[in-house]
Amino acid sequence: MDRQIKKLGIALVVCFGLLFAQVNYIQFFGAERLNERPDNTREQTREFARPRGQILAADGSVLAFSVEERSQFRYRRIYPEGALFGPVTGYYSAILGATGVERSYGNELSGTTPELRFGNLSDLFVDRENVGNVHLTLRRDVQQIATELLGDREGSVVALDPRTGAVDAMVSFPSYDPNPLSSNDTEATDIKTVLDADPENPLLFRAYQDIFFPGSTFKVVTASTAVEAGIVTQDSPDYPVQSGFDVDFTDQDLRNFGGSSCGGTLFEILRESCNWSFAQMGVDLGPERMIAGAEAYGFNAEPPVDLPAPATSQFPTEFPDDEGNGPLARASIGQGDVSASPLQMALVTAGIVNGGSVPTPHVMDRVTDEEGEVVSTFAPSEWTRATSAETADVIRRGMVEVAQPGGTAEGLQIPGLEVGGKTGTAQLGTDPPRSHAWILGFAGPPGQPPEVAVAVIVEGQDGASEQTGGRVAAPIARAVMEAVLAARGGQ
Amino acid sequence: MIERMRRRGELVMLLLAGAVVAGAYVVATLGRTASVPADIGPFLVLVLVLFAGAHIAIRKLAPGADGTLLPLAVLLNGVGYVFIARLREDLAAKQAGWIFLGLVAFVVTLAVVRRPRDLERYRYIALFVGVGLVMVPLVPVLGQTINGARIWIRLGPAQFQPGEFAKLFLALFFAAYLVEKRELLALASWPRRRPILPDPKHLGPVLVAWGIAVVVITAERDLGTALLFFALFIVLLWVATGRAGYLLVGAGSFALAAFASWTLFSHVQDRVTNWINPWADPLGGGYQIIQGWYALADGGVAGQGLGLGLSGAPPGCDPAQGACDGRLPEAQNDFIFAVIGEELGLIGSAAVIAAFVLLVGTGLRIAASQEGAFEKLLATGLTTLLGVQTLIILGGVTRLLPLTGVALPFVSYGGTSVVANYVLLALLVRLSDDAHQRRQRKARRVGALAGAG
């Protein structure tokens, strides 16, 4: 019997050996593969059980912080400013995931970037929570002014520094309060269901996640492309005064606003926002040069903004010959198949006043660690080269003219500053007449590079006159620019 | 001299095991609540007193027994308790009560069973008690179906799993019966022309007992226990007779029975399907296996830390403020090994496996050291039960085998299992001491003879 007992012992040890080998496979050799399986949510769950750093505005206002709660997930996020910064900070929920800055700077906030983790040598040996605080470029006071002036009209405001791409304010209406969405129980799901069902779609941050007809504001892109191509200068051609542009294959001309007649040199047609002249300008340029011109300003490319899911602004990439000159003529005045996000139009303005260089837009200024030491800063860079500095200067001076008394953007005027702009009224329908009211603007001390660029859209306004953009959107843009410049002066 | 060394070694190892368990308990509590609870003192005293009591009982009742059995069981049992307390605070007090009962049963068994040989006489009583215990859950009113298996009985407020005790009685019966018939069974006389097996009539009673047990347990849907009894029977038959033919026939009949139950029972098919590819039904049948794997993988080499894994309630969770469920349902039962691997890492799971290997090795060493055939078979049977049950559940959790729920001896939550395994341990301790005393007596006789000469 002893022989059998010995063999039994060997057999059992072999079985335990197999078991040990299997445990080694699961816990060591195959562990990484298992941990990364898409249905394995342990890593995410653990992330939600860690504290997170704060999100702060440029003026120091706290926009998001963590409080401990004794639930399955140890922390929940609090957003003291509620809907004012809701779409910017986004929400952070174990159930719904994360959006906004909470998402794009998730690693910094949870302290899992190498800089935060191994910031100093002793941290390698001490298990300390190295969460990072994310400081934004946005200012609470500017955000507040933009929100108040927009009121309960659907629309967006984007203000940024044309020299660096730093966003000063980004606002949309409707907005949402991220606090209930960051609850870690079913309350979050319920609120999300309600918000998702809302036809106004408050969870979509339209300032950069949605696109609209840019209308006449797009004419600055057409003008810039034509000047760069050399077919237009400040003095020539002198477009004849006409009431409309003759479109191929149709009796319906592309008419000026209100059926008026207009024409003249570049600055004159900019001031009057003369439809037929810009349509002619685009058609004279031809499809290739118009497409290249629009794409040089960032159309058909996703803006590299440090926020999740930016919308790509659209300019048509082909104009079939058999459709005649109509599509290109309409695209050249910002209608037809052109659409742009408010952020994109702010970047167009920034490119024009920044010597033709469109900066990379960003909302993060710097990340600090728990002691307040700066861990990383956002390094400004050029996103796209829109045009030459000379061309940009011509268009900038043209836009200054538009904001002079009598121009469509005269509502932007701020005494003592050099101000420029361009209005737009993108028609949505004629019965009843409705339109998006747009304005682009910039401002700065005279003789110096402008310090702020802004784009405002108020959606779905009654009426369709070229004055609509100036009347509705200009006061918002002007107040926002004043607030930004006041803040800059105070720095 | 040897006795004193063994007991001193046992005491040292017990103190080490006690320190490990106490430390783990403190760390697990810290991980959960970030403060040492006020009632930590009484718990430690209780545990130490209980284990010290078992040690003193061995000193008094079986002073020559092997010194590693009790410390290994205490380590496994203590670690198991720490994890049960960490996973289900509400079950901690219950489990502590069962450990107390288990140690009482340990001492009582040592006190009552003074000579293992005496047990041989009760073979048929053991048979009837064993088969009876297996069948009790089928009695209406008494029997309870929990998680699909009808293996529980309810007596007043308490629930028992009589099968855990039945295995001891059946091991006793098999050992005693096979000793009696082993020469007949070793003799091949069937089939007549080329005999490879003994006359089936000698196998009758064993086959009947085993058959009833397996059929009944299959009816109770307790596949793991059926497999355990099957392995016990085949191993003892082979060890008793030395005929490898039994292993072949056993493997063949197992394959047949497995195939038959696979075609007949849908729950067997489910088990096999979930074993082959748990990701086919990741939120249903495969959920537990997948989460067990994820728990082990999450632990990695060093583990997430005691009380910090996600299988149980997350750290700092207060059930009053929302759901605190962990990822692994019923983790304190069959899947406790996955939680140990998650929170203590490969180091912890390897330590648990090593403890079982040592237990099994010690058990087989005790079996080999026995002089009587009955004692040899009984020790082999008890060790086989311990080893195979461990392999069945750990193989199931790690997906080496289809998952069939049995308790991990000494570690899983479950009163009957703890008590039955302490009785099993007491029998091994008794057998070890008995062999030692015999050798001592023989040595004294030889010494006396030498002195006289």
Side-chain angles (χ1 to χ4, degrees):
Chain A
M1 280 199 281
D2 287 348
R3 270 205 8 237
Q4 280 80 23
I5 291 174
K6 199 172 164 189
K7 283 183 185 166
L8 175 65
I10 294 170
L12 286 174
V13 166
V14 167
C15 289
F16 275 107
L18 281 175
L19 181 68
F20 183 63
Q22 177 79 344
V23 172
N24 269 281
Y25 166 69
I26 302 173
Q27 298 203 265
F28 184 67
F29 297 104
E32 200 178 316
R33 200 178 55 80
L34 284 168
N35 287 334
E36 284 168 5
R37 283 190 66 99
D39 59 327
N40 188 351
T41 54
R42 285 167 174 267
E43 192 45 54
Q44 288 103 289
T45 306
R46 193 162 293 112
E47 195 193 307
F48 277 93
R50 278 198 291 261
R52 248 169 121 73
Q54 297 181 345
I55 303 174
L56 302 110
D59 52 274
S61 314
V62 176
L63 306 180
F65 63 95
S66 287
V67 290
E68 205 162 351
E69 65 174 11
R70 297 185 62 79
S71 80
Q72 190 172 5
F73 306 98
R74 282 175 67 184
Y75 299 91
R76 85 169 273 175
R77 295 293 264 177
I78 301 290
Y79 303 91
E81 303 294 342
L84 183 62
F85 277 93
V88 177
T89 59
Y91 51 82
Y92 179 80
S93 146
I95 296 164
L96 301 175
T99 61
V101 169
E102 293 278 21
R103 174 142 154 196
S104 54
Y105 288 102
N107 290 339
E108 283 76 5
L109 290 165
S110 61
T112 50
T113 63
E115 293 88 356
L116 286 162
R117 224 182 223 177
F118 308 122
N120 60 65
L121 196 60
S122 64
D123 290 356
L124 285 173
F125 309 106
V126 186
D127 193 19
R128 208 159 51 91
E129 299 286 3
N130 285 318
V131 301
N133 298 317
V134 173
H135 300 256
L136 301 185
T137 55
L138 286 83
R139 298 189 55 90
R140 191 187 170 283
D141 46 2
V142 185
Q143 194 85 352
Q144 182 86 45
I145 285 167
T147 303
E148 275 170 13
L149 290 176
L150 196 56
D152 55 1
R153 294 174 293 182
E154 284 176 46
S156 302
V157 179
V158 177
L160 47 79
D161 188 331
R163 300 163 297 183
T164 61
V167 175
D168 294 295
M170 185 140 73
V171 161
S172 285
F173 183 87
S175 179
Y176 66 91
D177 181 357
N179 284 302
L181 287 162
S182 297
S183 143
N184 287 321
D185 53 42
T186 48
E187 181 196 358
T189 334
D190 297 344
I191 301 269
K192 175 99 167 28
T193 313
V194 171
L195 290 174
D196 279 340
D198 190 329
E200 292 179 350
N201 202 357
L203 287 180
L204 184 76
F205 193 11
R206 33 188 99 195
Y208 79 100
Q209 289 183 320
D210 203 359
I211 49 179
F212 309 87
F213 297 129
S216 303
T217 57
F218 187 78
K219 287 172 183 162
V220 295
V221 176
T222 307
S224 163
T225 308
V227 172
E228 185 74 356
I231 66 165
V232 170
T233 66
Q234 190 176 332
D235 307 313
S236 73
D238 189 349
Y239 290 93
V241 175
Q242 261 178 241
S243 65
F245 175 79
D246 184 22
V247 178
D248 293 347
F249 316 137
T250 170
D251 296 338
Q252 280 201 305
D253 286 355
L254 210 165
R255 299 171 68 80
N256 299 325
F257 277 104
S260 64
S261 296
C262 57
T265 57
L266 179 60
F267 286 5
E268 285 164 350
I269 59 175
L270 268 175
R271 267 176 75 100
E272 297 168 63
S273 197
C274 184
N275 277 354
W276 95 262
S277 313
F278 283 100
Q280 184 66 52
M281 198 185 287
V283 170
D284 289 347
L285 278 165
E288 281 89 42
R289 287 193 287 192
M290 266 312 290
I291 294 167
E295 290 184 348
Y297 273 94
F299 280 80
N300 296 334
E302 189 174 280
V305 66
D306 51 350
L307 286 172
T312 297
S313 301
Q314 305 289 334
F315 189 81
T317 51
E318 30 183 59
F319 295 93
D321 288 340
D322 57 357
E323 288 179 22
N325 60 14
L328 183 54
R330 275 192 291 275
S332 302
I333 60 167
Q335 292 183 9
D337 292 327
V338 185
S339 45
S341 66
L343 174 67
Q344 173 63 45
M345 293 319 292
L347 289 169
V348 165
T349 315
I352 289 165
V353 302
N354 191 39
S357 168
V358 180
T360 301
H362 61 97
V363 297
M364 186 271 267
D365 179 54
R366 63 191 188 278
V367 178
T368 59
D369 65 12
E370 299 226 289
E371 278 84 47
E373 297 288 322
V374 174
V375 179
S376 60
T377 50
F378 194 97
S381 61
E382 177 181 286
W383 170 32
T384 169
R385 163 59 57 178
T387 185
S388 67
E390 294 74 31
T391 302
D393 190 58
V394 173
I395 307 301
R396 185 185 66 77
R397 284 189 284 113
M399 287 173 79
V400 170
E401 289 297 312
V402 179
Q404 291 302 315
T408 49
E410 69 170 312
L412 290 178
Q413 268 311 324
I414 307 170
L417 295 175
E418 186 173 69
V419 175
K422 180 74 191 81
T423 57
T425 304
Q427 288 173 318
L428 299 175
T430 47
D431 189 26
R434 281 164 59 81
S435 51
H436 293 323
W438 278 94
I439 197 159
L440 312 181
F442 59 83
Q448 288 178 36
E451 294 179 357
V452 60
V454 62
V456 175
I457 175 176
V458 184
E459 299 166 37
Q461 290 298 295
D462 291 336
S465 82
E466 186 55 34
Q467 269 60 51
T468 311
R471 177 174 50 80
V472 174
I476 304 174
R478 199 189 73 157
V480 166
M481 290 196 297
E482 271 184 317
V484 171
L485 289 170
R488 294 233 203 290
Q491 267 172 1
Chain B
M1 203 46 199
I2 297 172
E3 295 179 1
R4 201 178 300 163
M5 270 170 55
R6 285 189 166 177
R7 296 285 70 80
R8 194 172 296 157
E10 183 178 74
L11 183 61
V12 170
M13 285 190 283
L14 265 179
L15 288 174
L16 282 174
V20 167
V21 171
Y25 189 74
V26 173
V27 172
T29 329
L30 276 174
R32 257 201 342 271
T33 59
S35 65
V36 181
D39 57 351
I40 194 97
F43 166 76
L44 285 180
V45 171
L46 178 74
V47 166
L48 294 179
V49 164
L50 282 178
F51 294 150
H55 172 66
I56 290 165
I58 292 182
R59 273 180 187 262
K60 294 276 177 225
L61 297 168
D66 186 278
T68 53
L69 286 172
L70 183 66
L72 285 170
V74 159
L75 182 68
L76 288 169
N77 200 199
V79 168
Y81 177 81
V82 169
F83 275 89
I84 290 160
R86 174 256 177 279
L87 289 165
R88 289 281 302 272
E89 245 168 306
D90 52 323
L91 296 179
K94 270 189 173 175
Q95 181 73 357
W98 284 114
I99 293 175
F100 173 74
L101 276 184
L103 287 163
V104 168
F106 177 84
V107 176
V108 168
T109 308
L110 277 184
V112 170
V113 184
R114 303 308 282 259
R115 284 200 312 170
R117 173 155 301 193
D118 296 343
L119 292 172
E120 202 179 342
R121 260 184 277 152
Y122 302 113
R123 71 190 73 161
Y124 289 105
I125 294 179
L127 171 62
F128 286 118
V129 174
V131 172
L133 282 174
V134 165
M135 292 172 82
V136 168
L138 293 180
V139 176
V141 183
L142 267 183
Q144 300 264 311
T145 304
I146 296 177
N147 294 336
R150 193 181 175 87
I151 51 172
W152 299 83
I153 58 164
R154 174 181 283 278
L155 282 178
Q159 283 171 327
F160 303 95
Q161 225 178 327
E164 287 281 344
F165 280 105
K167 68 185 185 188
L168 298 181
F169 288 98
L170 286 176
L172 182 60
F173 167 69
F174 288 155
Y177 184 84
L178 290 173
V179 165
E180 190 187 324
K181 303 277 182 182
R182 71 191 189 105
E183 266 142 41
L184 285 171
L185 291 171
L187 218 69
S189 62
W190 183 91
R192 228 173 252 166
R193 297 192 55 188
R194 278 182 105 194
I196 46 166
L197 284 178
D199 195 325
K201 74 179 177 199
H202 301 305
L203 270 175
V206 199
L207 272 179
V208 168
W210 169 76
I212 291 175
V214 170
V215 168
V216 167
I217 287 168
T218 309
E220 292 169 0
R221 289 191 162 201
D222 190 4
L223 300 170
T225 309
L227 182 61
L228 180 62
F229 285 5
F230 191 92
L232 172 72
F233 174 61
I234 297 297
V235 164
L236 284 186
L237 202 53
W238 169 61
V239 172
T241 62
R243 292 196 71 87
Y246 283 120
L247 291 179
L248 288 176
V249 173
S253 57
F254 174 75
L256 251 162
F259 182 73
S261 56
W262 183 76
T263 46
L264 285 174
F265 303 116
S266 65
H267 65 278
V268 177
Q269 286 172 17
D270 292 344
R271 295 280 167 105
V272 174
T273 315
N274 293 331
W275 171 55
I276 292 170
N277 183 12
W279 279 280
D281 186 13
L283 297 177
Y287 184 76
Q288 215 180 8
I289 293 177
I290 292 174
Q291 292 304 323
W293 265 47
Y294 286 170
L296 286 169
D298 209 19
V301 173
Q304 293 288 347
L306 259 167
L308 301 176
L310 296 172
S311 291
C317 191
D318 181 357
Q321 285 192 24
C324 282
D325 296 333
R327 296 292 175 93
L328 252 181
E330 299 288 310
Q332 75 279 8
N333 289 329
D334 303 349
F335 270 73
I336 196 157
F337 180 75
V339 186
I340 294 176
E342 180 187 16
E343 303 198 346
L344 298 181
L346 184 58
I347 297 166
S349 48
V352 169
I353 293 174
F356 277 109
V357 170
L358 288 174
L359 259 185
V360 168
T362 308
L364 290 180
R365 202 151 39 74
I366 291 169
S369 73
Q370 301 296 321
E371 286 174 10
F374 167 71
E375 288 93 327
K376 252 187 213 307
L377 277 185
L378 183 59
T380 308
L382 295 175
T383 310
T384 304
L385 283 176
L386 203 60
V388 172
Q389 184 165 348
T390 305
L391 286 170
I392 289 174
I393 183 59
L394 294 191
V397 169
T398 57
R399 231 180 112 213
L400 274 181
L401 301 171
L403 179 64
T404 53
V406 291
L408 182 58
F410 294 112
V411 185
S412 290
Y413 174 74
T416 338
S417 168
V418 168
V419 176
N421 282 314
Y422 270 115
V423 172
L424 189 155
L425 192 76
L427 291 175
L428 282 178
V429 167
R430 169 54 71 214
L431 284 160
S432 168
D433 180 60
D434 192 53
H436 173 75
Q437 303 297 350
R438 274 166 203 274
R439 272 197 301 280
Q440 294 286 93
R441 276 200 293 278
K442 200 187 264 178
R444 271 200 295 276
R445 266 205 305 280
V446 171
L449 283 173

